Amino acid sequence: MSVVIDLPPVMAQEAKGFANIEGISLEKMFLDCIAAELARRRASKDSLDEWEREFKSLVGQSEGRLSEPYKFRRQDAYEEVLA
């Protein structure tokens, strides 16, 4: 698959120089960068999925503690002051 990347000339020259210093081709450098970014995103998504599973588990463990849903009433916040 061919992909064309339009880089500013200064950036293209710097990328070529860096690839030469590292002893790799420009194509290999880009492929390594893309692979690393995709791996980072997969790990981030897996981490979020794990967090969501853990959160749902904790919520599931806490269900049933209240006999009726809690409803906030402003006057409850001031009961001690008024009493």
Side-chain angles (χ1 to χ4, degrees):
M1 176 171 125
S2 281
V3 177
V4 176
I5 300 174
D6 187 22
L7 294 174
V10 173
M11 186 180 282
Q13 190 63 32
E14 187 175 352
K16 286 178 186 176
F18 181 78
N20 285 337
I21 290 171
E22 292 294 314
I24 59 175
S25 68
L26 197 53
E27 178 183 7
K28 172 90 169 103
M29 187 176 85
F30 279 116
L31 290 175
D32 289 348
C33 266
I34 291 170
E37 179 63 19
L38 292 174
R40 185 188 69 80
R41 287 185 184 215
R42 273 193 301 276
S44 175
K45 184 183 180 317
D46 291 345
S47 169
L48 287 174
D49 290 343
E50 177 61 32
W51 182 89
E52 184 178 10
R53 281 192 295 275
E54 185 177 336
F55 177 75
K56 285 182 179 181
S57 170
L58 289 172
V59 169
Q61 292 171 7
S62 66
E63 286 181 338
R65 289 186 181 177
L66 297 175
S67 58
E68 60 185 62
Y70 176 76
K71 293 182 181 176
F72 175 77
R73 295 181 336 158
R74 184 178 299 269
Q75 67 193 41
D76 290 345
Y78 298 104
E79 256 178 31
E80 289 183 23
V81 175
L82 297 175

